Every structure is written in structure tokens, then in C-alpha cells.
Amino acid sequence: MLFCPTCANLLVISSDTGYNKWACNTCPYEFPITKQMTARTRLVRKAVDDVLGGAEAWRDADSTMASCPKCNNDKAYFYQLQIRSADEPMTTFYRCTTCAHQWREN
């Protein structure tokens, strides 16, 4: 992406006059393209932290009677988070005490 040095808007590729150029849609700035322009950026994969708290979230979780959809165990740990707008109910996250299967209910 290139930006206009005059008005800071995004430049687009235009070929109105028969040759390729970078052109600004809001001001008369133009920059001719005379060679192939490429750039590669290698993204580094980073470890992503669990946004819901990871294993630490389950350490102090309370338990309740809930049926596990995987093993039919009737006890699970749970905690609640507000992941949607404030006028929506909280989402309850469950983890089975037997098989550690996780699921949620909105």
C-alpha cells in the first residue's frame, strides 16, 4: 500500500493515459510506475495467549451439575464471561471433570 504524500489518502493503480501509475482519488497527485514493484514480508508465527484465560481460568472455577456432551458425565467446572454486548446475557464456559472436554452455552 502506498499513500499520497500530499493528502495522505490511499493511492490506487490507474492506467487512464495508457501507462500504469499510482494515482490519488482526491488530489491531482500521480506517480508513474516504471518498474515492477513487489515486497515480501515474512510473518513470524507467535504463540497466541488464550484470550479466555487458558489453564489459569479453570484453576479456581466452581463446579456444577452439567451433562458433558462427549462422555455424559454429570459434573463440570464452569465460569462466565461477558463476550457480547452488555445487553446480551453472559456466556457460560464448561469443562468436564472427567474427560476435560470444553463447551459453552450462550
Side-chain angles (χ1 to χ4, degrees), residues 34-59:
T34 57
K35 62 181 180 178
Q36 183 176 356
M37 301 174 76
T38 60
R40 289 186 184 215
T41 303
R42 197 164 289 275
L43 300 176
V44 179
R45 178 176 269 186
K46 294 182 180 180
V48 178
D49 294 335
D50 190 350
V51 296
L52 300 178
E56 291 294 317
W58 296 109
R59 187 183 56 175

Side-chain angles (χ1 to χ4, degrees), residues 28 32 35 46 50 53 55 57 60 62 68 74 81-82 96 103-104:
K35 62 181 180 178
K46 294 182 180 180
D50 190 350
D60 297 322
D62 293 327
C68 174
D74 62 349
L81 274 177
Q82 187 73 36
C96 180
W103 72 98
R104 72 179 190 184

Side-chain angles (χ1 to χ4, degrees), residues 80-99:
Q80 293 184 318
L81 274 177
Q82 187 73 36
I83 61 173
R84 296 182 290 170
S85 62
D87 62 339
E88 298 287 331
M90 294 181 79
T91 301
T92 306
F93 293 87
Y94 295 98
R95 182 177 188 179
C96 180
T97 57
T98 304
C99 69

Side-chain angles (χ1 to χ4, degrees), residues 6-68:
T6 307
C7 63
N9 285 319
L10 186 66
L11 295 177
V12 295
I13 296 177
S14 174
S15 61
D16 296 338
T17 58
Y19 65 93
N20 289 335
K21 61 185 175 184
W22 291 102
C24 182
N25 285 332
T26 57
C27 74
Y29 178 79
E30 293 180 350
F31 182 79
I33 300 174
T34 57
K35 62 181 180 178
Q36 183 176 356
M37 301 174 76
T38 60
R40 289 186 184 215
T41 303
R42 197 164 289 275
L43 300 176
V44 179
R45 178 176 269 186
K46 294 182 180 180
V48 178
D49 294 335
D50 190 350
V51 296
L52 300 178
E56 291 294 317
W58 296 109
R59 187 183 56 175
D60 297 322
D62 293 327
S63 61
T64 187
M65 300 297 283
S67 180
C68 174

